[in-house]
Amino acid sequence: PKYLRTLASHYQTGATMSDELIERLVASRNTSGAIRELRQVSRGIYDMDIHSITKAGTIDVVAHYNELSERIALANYGDAHLFKAATFSHIMQGYDCGYYSYMWASVISADMFSARFGGQDSDAVAGAAFRSEILQPGGACDPSESIERFLGRAPSNRAFLQTIGLN
């Protein structure tokens, strides 16, 4: 919120956002957050399922996509469902059963930000630790080991759930 006041202004008048508008924006931050994440879960499962097929023709990929969308993401696309699976381009772009990593990255980043930065956007000590524990090793060591060293514990999903409004 503090940055909205300094960065955002009306394009004609130059007036900054009112406190009331900023409060309303912050309050609406998690609108549909759980639905968005359920969509990610359904797509991650779909990705893993279709990349686990060992024999061609054993699964109707469109029907499976639609079933997961309805059952998990609570989305019924009606007549548009016929080709909805075709709009999920990630599965043909080299992710190969890795779409779930989007959610995992969100969980880990929320945990690291909450645990080490205390929710603040700048902390030199935490920044230096992030650089030395996460960025410097790069791919030279197991990422989960780097994350645990940085956090000082195993990762948790609590901060992520709080971020999307599921306290």
Side-chain angles (χ1 to χ4, degrees):
K2 68 181 178 180
Y3 293 114
L4 285 175
R5 203 167 274 108
T6 59
L7 296 176
S9 61
H10 191 277
Y11 78 103
Q12 288 178 328
T13 67
T16 59
M17 295 177 116
S18 68
D19 289 341
E20 178 194 355
L21 181 56
I22 290 173
E23 287 174 21
R24 287 176 35 214
L25 279 171
V26 170
S28 70
R29 174 180 159 185
N30 295 318
T31 301
S32 301
I35 296 293
R36 182 179 54 248
E37 300 309 325
L38 288 173
R39 178 174 176 247
Q40 294 293 89
V41 169
S42 71
R43 285 183 157 203
I45 292 170
Y46 178 74
D47 182 29
M48 286 189 264
D49 287 350
I50 65 165
H51 282 95
S52 301
I53 297 170
T54 57
K55 184 179 176 191
T58 58
I59 187 172
D60 179 335
V61 293
V62 173
H64 189 58
Y65 184 91
N66 294 336
E67 186 273 326
L68 287 172
S69 292
E70 273 193 56
R71 184 169 50 89
I72 296 172
L74 311 176
N76 182 337
Y77 298 111
D79 290 340
H81 78 283
L82 295 174
F83 302 104
K84 197 67 179 169
T87 67
F88 183 30
S89 60
H90 289 75
I91 59 174
M92 299 302 167
Q93 295 175 338
Y95 283 77
D96 299 335
C97 205
Y99 190 79
Y100 73 91
S101 65
Y102 276 124
M103 284 199 77
W104 188 232
S106 295
V107 169
I108 296 300
S109 64
D111 195 16
M112 289 193 297
F113 186 66
S114 173
R116 291 299 303 267
F117 290 87
Q120 301 301 310
D121 50 6
S122 61
D123 178 324
V125 173
F130 182 76
R131 184 180 322 136
S132 66
E133 296 296 335
I134 303 295
L135 300 178
Q136 271 180 341
C141 64
D142 183 331
S144 38
E145 291 175 11
S146 293
I147 291 165
E148 285 195 25
R149 270 196 306 277
F150 178 73
L151 290 171
R153 57 168 171 72
S156 165
N157 67 357
R158 284 189 188 124
F160 170 74
L161 293 174
Q162 186 173 20
T163 299
I164 64 169
L166 298 175
N167 311 18

